[in-house]
Amino acid sequence: MRSMRHWLVLPVAFAATLVVAAPASAQRASLSDRVAALEARAGDTSANMDLLNQVNQLRQELVALRSQVEELQQQNEQLKNSSRSQYLDIDGRLNRLEGTGGGAGGMELPELGPGAVGTAPAPAQGGTGTPPSAAPSAPAQAPADERGAYEQAFAALRNGDYAESATLFQAFLSQYPQGSYAPNALYWLGESYYVTQNYALAEEQFRALLQRYPTSDKAPGALLKVGLSQYGLKNLEAAEATLAEVGKQYPGSDAARTAADRLRAIQLSRLR
């Protein structure tokens, strides 16, 4: 009987052991999963922090780049103003040299001021200009008010006030369309537009000069500036044709030499 009871107790005890051990194993597995999940979350948090740091760094770099862009824009504007002044100064010196050299197509820049009669440009009458002499004088037929209006417009141009000079030259041409200084006024009106990169308006004035005063001393320079205005408008084919025409119509002139240089530069740039 005892032996029989012994055999009955052993299976029951073994079964109880299995029942107790099963939840412990499952608990260990569940705990392991939770730890793995927490570790995964911790890893995600670290990655998020890295992304946040990168975003903050990019924001700082963007602010620095914006500051640099603003600084470069200011420097660019200063360079534009400086280049315009230098352009006008160099152009004036070249024009004075061309005017005193007696070369065809000279674009003299008169040093005008109150009472500076001896430095007035030689005017064209009825579209027929005469080469400037070494010391040109003001024409007797030019009234004082016409000369004063021209001097006022030209003074604005020399001072770099191109918007004002354009307005004054327009007013001059409206008041004195057949005046002695009309060819010069047309030329410098075109220059006022050209320096400020209003190439379409500049070309219009230079063409008007060529049409109304084809034999003016300003004609070679006007044709040159037509080509340069076309180049400024990105009309390369027309610019090349016009610049080549300068050399044909005014061979040996300073305008022709400048046109040839610019023509070569354009052709080389198109090959790159």
Side-chain angles (χ1 to χ4, degrees), residues 33-252:
D33 293 340
R34 291 173 63 186
V35 170
L38 289 175
E39 289 178 349
R41 290 182 182 178
D44 291 341
T45 302
S46 177
N48 291 336
M49 289 299 297
D50 290 339
L51 289 175
L52 183 60
N53 291 334
Q54 292 178 11
V55 169
N56 290 333
Q57 183 178 0
L58 290 174
R59 285 177 178 173
Q60 294 175 358
E61 292 178 356
L62 180 60
V63 171
L65 288 174
R66 286 177 177 173
S67 178
Q68 292 178 5
V69 168
E70 291 179 0
E71 183 178 355
L72 289 173
Q73 287 176 341
Q74 293 178 355
Q75 293 178 359
N76 186 43
E77 189 64 26
Q78 293 175 355
L79 287 174
K80 283 183 179 179
N81 294 333
S82 176
S83 64
R84 289 172 184 172
S85 300
Q86 291 177 1
Y87 163 79
L88 192 60
D89 178 65
I90 294 173
D91 189 53
R93 294 180 183 180
L94 289 173
N95 290 335
R96 286 196 297 274
L97 290 173
E98 293 168 359
T100 57
M107 299 176 288
E108 58 171 323
L109 179 63
E111 292 291 343
L112 291 179
V117 176
T119 56
Q125 303 176 13
T128 57
T130 57
S133 61
S137 59
Q141 71 273 20
D145 53 354
E146 177 187 343
R147 178 178 174 79
Y150 180 84
E151 289 179 354
Q152 183 183 7
F154 192 82
L157 179 69
R158 282 197 311 188
N159 293 333
D161 192 350
Y162 306 117
E164 180 67 11
S165 67
T167 299
L168 292 174
F169 277 124
Q170 285 176 339
F172 175 89
L173 290 168
S174 297
Q175 189 172 1
Y176 306 102
Q178 303 299 327
S180 301
Y181 295 101
N184 299 71
L186 270 173
Y187 182 85
W188 295 118
L189 175 58
E191 284 284 2
S192 299
Y193 290 133
Y194 182 84
V195 174
T196 54
Q197 300 181 357
N198 292 317
Y199 298 120
L201 289 174
E203 181 181 355
E204 182 180 342
Q205 311 313 314
F206 294 128
R207 286 190 179 280
L209 190 156
L210 291 168
Q211 183 178 3
R212 293 171 56 184
Y213 307 99
T215 58
S216 168
D217 293 330
K218 298 293 185 185
L223 186 58
L224 170 64
K225 288 301 173 68
V226 168
L228 296 181
S229 298
Q230 292 170 333
Y231 177 75
L233 293 170
K234 309 301 182 183
N235 193 350
L236 300 184
E237 292 184 0
E240 290 184 58
T242 302
L243 292 174
E245 190 64 23
V246 176
K248 295 178 182 178
Q249 291 193 23
Y250 309 102

